[in-house]
Amino acid sequence: MKSKVKVEIVREAGLDHLINRKESMGLCFIGKRGRFQKFISDFVFQSHPGPVIDLETGNQLEQQHKGLSYYTLGQNASLSGSKKRLYVAAKDLSKNALIVVDRLDHPVLWTEFLKVSKFHSFKNVESKNIYCSIRSVDKIGTKVKSISEESNHLNVELEGKVFAPCPGQWAVFYSEDENSNSFGRLCLGGGAIK
């Protein structure tokens, strides 16, 4: 458990000053918040501005996006000069276009079906009460209705919809387990969302 690592093991290693240290949810090697875009463009991927398309109308907006690598599905597109809040619905790499919608409850941002590849199993996935979590802040997860296996991925149907799962993001599967110290759940495995 994380609590054991933070208290017992850290103390045994003589690193008491780390016990009460505030946790970081960012990327510590990038530095101050707000430098993420510069880090991406300098070290990961050169991204170029391009058109923004309204999904509903198909019209190109006056604003341009900063570069597709700076956006993720479901996020506020934060387009300067926009009179309304717009959310990323998709990215068209072939046209370098950012596709947007004007509300978070738009159906294109929600799904109850996932394809998961590169699945790594830790436990028996035949369990009856399986939950799927696609974000670290999602402590409970969404109950899985069914899982079927194809040659190179799993087809997952959920009992509820999840918000904006992104290709490459991990889906982690849990089962209920009274003996577990992790929210009463046992990790079954996980894989990358296709």
Side-chain angles (χ1 to χ4, degrees):
M1 292 294 293
K2 185 178 187 179
S3 57
K4 181 176 180 175
V5 171
K6 284 192 78 172
V7 177
E8 295 175 27
I9 297 174
V10 168
R11 185 165 281 142
E12 286 174 16
L15 302 170
D16 290 351
H17 65 284
L18 296 177
I19 292 173
N20 295 321
R21 187 176 184 179
K22 185 179 176 187
E23 289 188 40
S24 170
M25 297 300 168
L27 300 173
C28 58
F29 56 87
I30 291 178
K32 290 184 180 180
R33 190 175 180 167
R35 294 187 182 170
F36 184 72
Q37 289 183 1
K38 181 169 176 21
F39 174 82
I40 292 292
S41 65
D42 288 350
F43 297 102
V44 181
F45 182 78
Q46 285 293 323
S47 196
H48 305 285
V52 178
I53 309 292
D54 182 307
L55 177 72
E56 293 295 322
T57 65
N59 294 336
Q60 183 172 324
L61 305 180
E62 291 181 21
Q63 297 85 4
Q64 282 205 322
H65 64 77
K66 298 174 186 174
L68 293 179
S69 62
Y70 304 131
Y71 300 91
T72 191
L73 297 182
Q75 100 176 70
N76 179 354
S78 297
L79 300 170
S80 62
S82 178
K83 294 179 179 150
K84 59 183 174 179
R85 192 171 284 224
L86 299 168
Y87 302 94
V88 177
K91 299 188 267 187
D92 185 336
L93 298 177
S94 66
K95 296 178 181 173
N96 189 34
L98 189 68
I99 315 301
V100 296
V101 293
D102 64 0
R103 59 188 212 275
L104 280 174
D105 65 349
H106 194 285
V108 76
L109 295 176
W110 294 85
T111 186
E112 57 209 23
F113 299 98
L114 299 173
K115 284 188 183 224
V116 178
S117 65
K118 301 178 186 172
F119 187 76
H120 299 281
S121 179
F122 308 117
K123 297 285 181 183
N124 177 9
V125 186
E126 300 294 321
S127 178
K128 291 181 182 175
N129 291 314
I130 298 176
Y131 295 84
C132 175
S133 193
I134 64 169
R135 291 183 177 79
S136 61
V137 295
D138 183 9
K139 301 291 185 209
I140 297 170
T142 304
K143 192 161 186 183
V144 173
K145 187 183 271 187
S146 67
I147 297 177
S148 62
E149 193 170 345
E150 286 195 21
S151 60
N152 61 351
H153 66 270
L154 297 176
N155 291 313
V156 180
E157 182 179 2
L158 304 170
E159 288 193 3
K161 293 187 177 188
V162 291
F163 178 72
C166 300
Q169 181 179 28
W170 274 67
V172 180
F173 298 89
Y174 300 91
S175 69
E176 292 179 337
D177 183 0
E178 304 81 36
N179 299 322
S180 169
N181 290 328
S182 178
F183 305 104
R185 301 180 313 166
L186 179 66
C187 184
L188 301 173
I193 296 171
K194 287 177 100 173

